[in-house]
């Protein structure tokens, strides 16, 4: 059975499915990926705003969890995405 079969049953916009597949392709053995929104948008030829909306769609559907990564000075460096 295809890993994505469950994904296809969700009532999600195509942008969310596309970003999920992208994150799956970029994740490590712990199902963690950390590409920037800018990188995702560039690689998929979609806008950064579209990527952000897709991430929100995926979080709402509980398919991913977003975690912020911080520097020692407390500023946010990037996001980490965990596929659930």
């Amino acid at each position: 059975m295809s890993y994505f079969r469950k994904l296809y049953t969700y009532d999600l916009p195509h942008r969310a499915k596309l970003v999920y597949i992208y994150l799956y392709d970029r994740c490590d053995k712990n199902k963690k990926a950390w590409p920037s929104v800018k990188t995702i948008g560039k690689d998929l030829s979609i806008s950064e705003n579209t990527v952000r909306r897709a991430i929100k769609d995926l979080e709402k559907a509980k398919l991913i969890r977003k975690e912020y990564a911080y520097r020692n000075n407390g500023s946010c460096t990037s996001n980490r995405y965990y596929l659930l």
Side-chain angles (χ1 to χ4, degrees):
M1 177 165 70
S2 167
Y3 175 84
F4 298 112
R5 185 165 294 194
K6 183 178 176 185
L7 174 68
Y8 302 146
T9 65
Y10 280 83
D11 185 25
L12 290 168
H14 66 279
R15 66 177 179 243
K17 292 176 182 180
L18 179 65
V19 169
Y20 184 88
I21 292 168
Y22 178 88
L23 292 174
Y24 178 83
D25 188 50
R26 301 298 189 270
C27 71
D28 64 13
K29 64 181 177 181
N30 297 317
K31 294 188 176 181
K32 179 176 69 174
W34 51 92
S36 69
V37 168
K38 184 176 183 177
T39 299
I40 297 170
K42 182 178 177 237
D43 288 349
L44 296 177
S45 301
I46 59 177
S47 73
E48 292 178 32
N49 285 337
T50 300
V51 173
R52 287 185 189 94
R53 287 192 302 271
I55 298 290
K56 286 181 184 179
D57 294 334
L58 293 168
E59 287 180 297
K60 186 176 178 182
K62 299 188 188 308
L63 290 171
I64 67 166
R65 183 184 53 149
K66 181 171 66 173
E67 182 179 278
Y68 299 99
Y70 295 97
R71 293 187 177 108
N72 290 340
N73 66 5
S75 65
C76 185
T77 61
S78 65
N79 295 324
R80 291 186 189 132
Y81 305 101
Y82 292 89
L83 281 62
L84 305 175

